[in-house]
Coordinates of all heavy atoms in Angstrom, one line a residue:
A166 N -21.1 15.5 7.0 CA -21.9 14.5 6.6 C -22.2 13.5 7.8 O -23.1 12.7 7.8 CB -21.3 13.7 5.4
V167 N -21.3 13.5 8.8 CA -21.4 12.5 9.9 C -21.8 13.3 11.1 O -21.7 14.5 11.2 CB -20.2 11.8 10.1 CG1 -19.8 11.0 8.9 CG2 -19.0 12.6 10.5
S168 N -22.3 12.6 12.1 CA -22.9 13.1 13.4 C -21.7 13.2 14.4 O -21.0 12.2 14.6 CB -24.0 12.3 13.9 OG -25.1 12.4 13.1
F169 N -21.6 14.3 15.0 CA -20.7 14.5 16.1 C -21.6 14.5 17.4 O -22.8 14.8 17.3 CB -20.0 15.8 16.1 CG -18.8 15.9 15.2 CD1 -18.9 15.9 13.7 CD2 -17.5 15.7 15.8 CE1 -17.8 15.8 13.0 CE2 -16.4 15.7 14.9 CZ -16.5 15.8 13.5
P170 N -21.0 14.1 18.5 CA -21.8 14.2 19.8 C -22.4 15.6 20.1 O -21.7 16.6 19.7 CB -20.7 13.8 20.8 CG -19.7 13.1 20.1 CD -19.6 13.7 18.8
D171 N -23.5 15.6 20.6 CA -24.1 16.9 20.9 C -23.2 17.8 21.9 O -23.3 19.0 21.7 CB -25.5 16.6 21.7 CG -26.5 16.1 20.8 OD1 -26.4 16.2 19.5 OD2 -27.4 15.5 21.2
D172 N -22.4 17.1 22.6 CA -21.6 17.9 23.6 C -20.2 18.4 22.9 O -19.4 19.0 23.6 CB -21.3 17.2 24.9 CG -20.6 16.0 24.7 OD1 -20.4 15.5 23.6 OD2 -20.2 15.3 25.7
A173 N -20.1 18.1 21.6 CA -18.9 18.5 20.9 C -19.0 19.9 20.4 O -19.1 20.2 19.2 CB -18.6 17.6 19.8
E174 N -19.0 20.9 21.3 CA -19.1 22.3 21.0 C -17.8 23.0 21.1 O -17.1 22.7 22.1 CB -20.1 23.0 22.0 CG -21.6 22.5 21.9 CD -22.5 23.2 22.7 OE1 -22.2 24.4 23.1 OE2 -23.6 22.7 23.0
G175 N -17.3 23.6 20.0 CA -16.1 24.2 20.0 C -15.1 23.3 19.4 O -15.2 22.1 19.3
V176 N -14.0 23.8 18.9 CA -13.0 23.2 18.1 C -12.3 22.1 19.0 O -12.2 20.9 18.6 CB -11.9 24.1 17.6 CG1 -10.8 23.3 16.9 CG2 -12.6 25.0 16.5
P177 N -11.9 22.3 20.3 CA -11.2 21.3 21.1 C -12.2 20.1 21.3 O -11.7 19.0 21.1 CB -10.9 21.9 22.4 CG -10.9 23.4 22.1 CD -11.9 23.7 21.0
A178 N -13.4 20.3 21.6 CA -14.3 19.2 21.8 C -14.6 18.4 20.5 O -14.6 17.2 20.6 CB -15.7 19.7 22.3
A179 N -14.7 19.1 19.5 CA -14.9 18.4 18.1 C -13.7 17.6 17.7 O -13.8 16.4 17.3 CB -15.2 19.4 17.1
L180 N -12.5 18.1 17.9 CA -11.2 17.4 17.6 C -11.0 16.2 18.5 O -10.6 15.1 18.1 CB -10.0 18.3 17.6 CG -10.1 19.3 16.4 CD1 -8.8 20.3 16.5 CD2 -10.1 18.7 15.0
A181 N -11.4 16.3 19.8 CA -11.3 15.2 20.7 C -12.3 14.2 20.3 O -12.2 13.0 20.6 CB -11.5 15.7 22.2
A182 N -13.5 14.6 19.8 CA -14.6 13.6 19.5 C -14.2 12.9 18.2 O -14.9 11.9 17.8 CB -15.9 14.3 19.4
L183 N -13.4 13.4 17.3 CA -13.2 13.0 16.0 C -12.8 11.5 16.0 O -13.2 10.8 15.1 CB -12.0 13.9 15.3 CG -11.8 13.6 13.9 CD1 -13.1 13.8 13.0 CD2 -10.7 14.6 13.3
D184 N -12.0 11.0 16.9 CA -11.6 9.6 16.8 C -12.8 8.7 17.1 O -13.1 7.7 16.4 CB -10.6 9.3 18.0 CG -10.0 7.9 17.9 OD1 -9.4 7.6 16.9 OD2 -10.3 7.0 18.8
G185 N -13.8 9.1 18.0 CA -14.9 8.4 18.2 C -16.0 8.3 17.0 O -16.5 7.3 16.6
V186 N -15.9 9.5 16.3 CA -16.7 9.6 15.1 C -16.1 8.7 14.0 O -17.0 8.0 13.4 CB -16.7 11.1 14.6 CG1 -17.2 11.3 13.2 CG2 -17.4 12.0 15.7
C187 N -14.8 8.6 13.9 CA -14.2 7.8 12.9 C -14.5 6.3 13.2 O -15.0 5.5 12.4 CB -12.7 8.0 12.9 SG -11.8 6.8 12.0
R188 N -14.4 5.9 14.5 CA -14.6 4.5 14.9 C -16.1 4.2 14.7 O -16.4 3.0 14.3 CB -14.2 4.3 16.3 CG -12.6 4.4 16.4 CD -12.1 4.2 17.7 NE -10.6 4.4 17.7 CZ -9.8 3.6 17.3 NH1 -10.1 2.4 16.8 NH2 -8.5 3.9 17.3
A189 N -17.1 5.2 14.9 CA -18.4 4.8 14.7 C -18.8 4.7 13.3 O -19.8 4.0 12.9 CB -19.3 6.0 15.3
G190 N -17.9 5.3 12.4 CA -18.2 5.2 11.0 C -17.5 3.9 10.2 O -17.5 3.8 9.1
H191 N -16.9 3.1 11.1 CA -16.2 1.9 10.5 C -16.5 0.7 11.5 O -16.8 0.9 12.7 CB -14.7 2.2 10.6 CG -14.2 3.3 9.7 ND1 -14.4 4.6 10.1 CD2 -13.6 3.2 8.4 CE1 -14.0 5.3 9.1 NE2 -13.5 4.5 8.1
R192 N -16.5 -0.5 11.0 CA -16.7 -1.7 11.8 C -16.0 -2.8 11.2 O -15.6 -2.9 10.0 CB -18.2 -1.9 11.9 CG -18.9 -2.5 10.7 CD -20.4 -2.7 10.9 NE -20.9 -3.3 9.8 CZ -22.3 -3.5 9.7 NH1 -23.1 -3.2 10.6 NH2 -22.8 -4.2 8.6
G193 N -15.8 -3.8 12.1 CA -15.1 -5.1 11.7 C -13.7 -5.1 11.9 O -12.9 -6.0 11.5
G194 N -13.1 -4.1 12.7 CA -11.7 -4.0 13.0 C -11.2 -2.7 13.4 O -12.1 -1.8 13.7
D195 N -10.0 -2.4 13.5 CA -9.5 -1.2 13.9 C -9.1 -0.3 12.7 O -8.2 -0.6 12.0 CB -8.3 -1.4 14.8 CG -7.6 0.0 15.3 OD1 -8.3 1.0 15.1 OD2 -6.6 -0.1 16.0
P196 N -9.9 0.8 12.5 CA -9.6 1.6 11.3 C -8.5 2.6 11.6 O -8.2 3.5 10.7 CB -10.9 2.4 11.2 CG -11.4 2.5 12.5 CD -11.1 1.2 13.2
G197 N -7.9 2.7 12.8 CA -7.0 3.7 13.1 C -7.9 4.8 13.6 O -9.0 4.6 14.1
G198 N -7.2 5.9 13.6 CA -8.1 7.1 14.1 C -7.3 8.4 14.3 O -6.2 8.6 13.7
Y199 N -7.9 9.3 15.1 CA -7.3 10.7 15.3 C -7.1 10.9 16.7 O -8.0 10.8 17.5 CB -8.4 11.6 14.7 CG -8.7 11.3 13.3 CD1 -9.7 10.5 12.9 CD2 -8.0 12.0 12.2 CE1 -10.0 10.3 11.6 CE2 -8.3 11.8 10.8 CZ -9.3 10.9 10.5 OH -9.6 10.6 9.3
A200 N -5.9 11.2 17.1 CA -5.6 11.5 18.5 C -5.3 13.1 18.6 O -4.4 13.6 18.0 CB -4.3 10.7 19.0
F201 N -6.2 13.7 19.5 CA -6.0 15.2 19.6 C -5.5 15.5 21.1 O -5.8 14.9 21.9 CB -7.4 15.8 19.6 CG -7.4 17.2 20.0 CD1 -6.8 18.2 19.2 CD2 -8.0 17.6 21.1 CE1 -6.8 19.5 19.6 CE2 -8.1 19.0 21.5 CZ -7.4 19.9 20.7
R202 N -4.5 16.4 21.0 CA -4.0 17.0 22.2 C -4.0 18.5 22.2 O -3.4 19.0 21.3 CB -2.5 16.4 22.4 CG -1.8 17.0 23.7 CD -0.4 16.4 23.9 NE 0.4 16.5 22.7 CZ 1.4 17.4 22.5 NH1 1.4 18.4 23.4 NH2 2.1 17.5 21.5
Q203 N -4.7 19.1 23.1 CA -4.7 20.6 23.2 C -3.5 21.1 23.7 O -2.9 20.6 24.8 CB -5.9 21.0 24.0 CG -6.1 22.6 23.8 CD -7.5 23.0 24.2 OE1 -8.4 22.2 24.5 NE2 -7.7 24.3 24.3
I204 N -2.9 22.1 23.1 CA -1.6 22.6 23.4 C -1.7 24.0 24.2 O -1.2 24.2 25.3 CB -0.7 22.9 22.2 CG1 -0.3 21.5 21.7 CG2 0.5 23.6 22.6 CD1 0.4 21.5 20.4
G205 N -2.6 24.9 23.6 CA -2.9 26.1 24.2 C -4.4 26.4 24.2 O -5.1 25.6 23.8
A206 N -4.7 27.7 24.5 CA -6.1 28.0 24.6 C -6.8 27.9 23.2 O -7.9 27.7 23.0 CB -6.3 29.4 25.2
A207 N -6.0 28.1 22.1 CA -6.5 28.2 20.8 C -5.7 27.4 19.8 O -5.6 27.7 18.7 CB -6.7 29.6 20.3
D208 N -5.1 26.4 20.3 CA -4.3 25.5 19.3 C -4.1 24.1 20.0 O -4.3 23.9 21.1 CB -3.0 26.2 19.0 CG -2.0 26.2 20.2 OD1 -2.5 26.6 21.3 OD2 -0.8 26.0 20.0
G209 N -3.9 23.1 19.0 CA -3.7 21.8 19.4 C -3.0 21.1 18.3 O -2.7 21.5 17.3
R210 N -2.9 19.6 18.5 CA -2.2 18.8 17.6 C -3.0 17.6 17.4 O -3.5 17.0 18.3 CB -0.8 18.5 18.0 CG 0.0 17.6 17.2 CD 1.5 17.5 17.4 NE 2.0 18.8 17.1 CZ 3.2 19.1 17.3 NH1 4.1 18.4 18.1 NH2 3.7 20.4 16.9
V211 N -3.1 17.1 16.1 CA -3.9 15.9 15.9 C -2.9 14.9 15.1 O -2.2 15.3 14.2 CB -5.1 16.2 14.9 CG1 -5.8 14.9 14.6 CG2 -6.0 17.2 15.6
E212 N -2.9 13.8 15.5 CA -2.1 12.6 14.9 C -3.1 11.7 14.2 O -4.1 11.3 14.9 CB -1.2 11.9 15.9 CG 0.0 12.7 16.3 CD 0.9 11.9 17.2 OE1 0.6 10.8 17.5 OE2 2.0 12.5 17.5
C213 N -2.9 11.5 12.9 CA -3.8 10.6 12.2 C -3.2 9.3 11.9 O -2.1 9.3 11.3 CB -4.3 11.3 10.9 SG -4.9 13.0 11.2
R214 N -3.8 8.3 12.2 CA -3.4 6.9 11.7 C -4.5 6.2 11.1 O -5.3 5.6 11.8 CB -2.8 6.1 12.9 CG -1.5 6.7 13.5 CD -1.0 5.8 14.7 NE 0.4 6.0 15.1 CZ 0.7 6.9 16.0 NH1 -0.3 7.6 16.6 NH2 1.9 7.1 16.3
T215 N -4.8 6.5 9.8 CA -5.9 5.8 9.1 C -5.4 5.2 7.8 O -4.3 5.5 7.4 CB -7.1 6.9 8.9 OG1 -6.6 7.8 7.8 CG2 -7.4 7.7 10.1
P216 N -6.3 4.5 7.2 CA -5.9 4.0 5.9 C -6.1 5.0 4.7 O -5.9 4.6 3.6 CB -6.9 2.8 5.6 CG -8.1 3.2 6.5 CD -7.6 3.9 7.6
Y217 N -6.5 6.2 5.0 CA -6.9 7.2 4.0 C -5.6 8.0 3.6 O -4.6 8.1 4.3 CB -7.9 8.1 4.4 CG -9.2 7.4 4.7 CD1 -9.6 7.1 6.2 CD2 -9.9 6.8 3.7 CE1 -10.8 6.5 6.4 CE2 -11.1 6.1 4.1 CZ -11.5 6.0 5.4 OH -12.7 5.2 5.7
P218 N -5.7 8.6 2.4 CA -4.5 9.5 1.9 C -4.3 10.6 2.9 O -5.3 11.1 3.5 CB -5.1 10.0 0.5 CG -6.1 9.0 0.1 CD -6.8 8.5 1.3
C219 N -3.2 11.1 2.9 CA -2.9 12.2 3.9 C -3.7 13.4 3.7 O -4.2 14.0 4.6 CB -1.4 12.6 3.6 SG -0.1 11.4 3.9
A220 N -3.9 13.7 2.4 CA -4.7 14.9 2.0 C -6.1 14.8 2.5 O -6.8 15.7 3.0 CB -4.8 15.2 0.5
F221 N -6.7 13.5 2.5 CA -8.1 13.3 3.0 C -8.2 13.4 4.6 O -9.1 14.1 5.0 CB -8.5 11.8 2.6 CG -9.9 11.4 2.8 CD1 -10.9 11.8 2.0 CD2 -10.2 10.7 4.0 CE1 -12.2 11.5 2.3 CE2 -11.5 10.4 4.2 CZ -12.5 10.7 3.4
D222 N -7.1 12.9 5.2 CA -7.0 13.1 6.7 C -7.0 14.6 7.0 O -7.6 15.0 8.0 CB -5.9 12.4 7.2 CG -6.3 11.0 7.6 OD1 -7.4 10.5 7.8 OD2 -5.2 10.1 7.7
R223 N -6.1 15.3 6.3 CA -6.0 16.7 6.6 C -7.3 17.4 6.4 O -7.8 18.3 7.2 CB -4.9 17.3 5.7 CG -4.6 18.9 6.1 CD -3.4 19.3 5.3 NE -3.9 19.6 3.9 CZ -3.6 19.0 2.8 NH1 -2.7 18.1 2.9 NH2 -4.0 19.4 1.6
G224 N -8.1 17.0 5.4 CA -9.4 17.6 5.1 C -10.4 17.2 6.3 O -11.1 18.1 6.7
V225 N -10.3 16.0 6.7 CA -11.2 15.6 7.8 C -11.0 16.4 9.0 O -11.9 16.9 9.7 CB -11.1 14.1 8.1 CG1 -11.8 13.7 9.4 CG2 -11.6 13.2 7.0
V226 N -9.7 16.5 9.4 CA -9.3 17.4 10.6 C -9.8 18.8 10.4 O -10.4 19.5 11.3 CB -7.8 17.3 10.8 CG1 -7.3 18.3 11.9 CG2 -7.4 15.9 11.2
E227 N -9.5 19.4 9.3 CA -9.8 20.8 8.9 C -11.4 20.9 9.0 O -12.0 21.9 9.5 CB -9.3 21.3 7.7 CG -9.5 22.7 7.4 CD -8.7 23.3 6.2 OE1 -7.5 22.8 5.9 OE2 -9.4 24.1 5.4
G228 N -12.0 20.0 8.3 CA -13.5 20.2 8.3 C -14.2 20.1 9.7 O -15.1 20.9 9.9
A229 N -13.6 19.2 10.5 CA -14.2 19.1 11.9 C -13.9 20.4 12.7 O -14.8 20.9 13.4 CB -13.6 18.0 12.6
A230 N -12.8 21.0 12.5 CA -12.4 22.2 13.2 C -13.3 23.3 12.6 O -13.7 24.2 13.4 CB -10.9 22.5 13.0
V231 N -13.3 23.6 11.3 CA -14.1 24.7 10.8 C -15.6 24.5 11.1 O -16.2 25.5 11.4 CB -13.9 24.7 9.2 CG1 -14.9 25.5 8.6 CG2 -12.5 25.1 8.9
A232 N -16.1 23.3 11.1 CA -17.5 23.1 11.4 C -17.9 23.5 12.9 O -19.0 23.8 13.3 CB -18.0 21.8 11.2
H233 N -16.8 23.6 13.8 CA -17.1 23.9 15.1 C -16.3 25.1 15.7 O -16.2 25.3 16.8 CB -16.6 22.7 16.0 CG -17.5 21.4 15.7 ND1 -17.2 20.6 14.7 CD2 -18.6 21.0 16.4 CE1 -18.1 19.6 14.7 NE2 -19.0 19.8 15.7
A234 N -15.8 25.9 14.7 CA -15.2 27.1 15.1 C -16.1 28.4 15.0 O -17.1 28.4 14.3 CB -14.0 27.3 14.2
D235 N -15.6 29.4 15.8 CA -16.3 30.7 15.7 C -15.7 31.6 14.7 O -16.2 32.7 14.4 CB -16.3 31.3 17.0 CG -17.3 30.6 18.0 OD1 -18.2 30.0 17.7 OD2 -17.0 30.7 19.2
G236 N -14.5 31.2 14.2 CA -13.8 32.0 13.3 C -12.8 31.3 12.4 O -13.0 30.1 12.2
F237 N -11.6 31.8 12.2 CA -10.6 31.3 11.3 C -10.0 30.1 11.9 O -9.8 29.9 13.1 CB -9.5 32.3 11.2 CG -8.3 32.0 10.3 CD1 -8.5 31.9 9.0 CD2 -7.2 31.6 10.8 CE1 -7.4 31.6 8.1 CE2 -6.1 31.2 10.1 CZ -6.2 31.1 8.7
V238 N -9.7 29.0 11.0 CA -8.9 27.9 11.5 C -7.8 27.6 10.5 O -7.9 27.9 9.4 CB -9.9 26.6 11.3 CG1 -9.1 25.3 11.5 CG2 -11.0 26.7 12.3

Side-chain angles (χ1 to χ4, degrees):
V167 300
S168 296
F169 278 76
D171 290 339
D172 62 350
E174 294 182 19
V176 176
L180 293 177
L183 190 54
D184 188 65
V186 169
C187 174
R188 291 179 187 284
H191 297 79
R192 70 181 185 187
D195 181 6
Y199 303 89
F201 171 69
R202 178 174 55 95
Q203 190 157 355
I204 296 172
D208 64 320
R210 180 165 287 170
V211 179
E212 289 186 352
C213 306
R214 289 182 170 90
T215 75
Y217 299 109
C219 303
F221 188 81
D222 273 340
R223 189 175 73 247
V225 169
V226 170
E227 186 173 324
V231 167
H233 294 87
D235 290 332
F237 180 77
V238 170

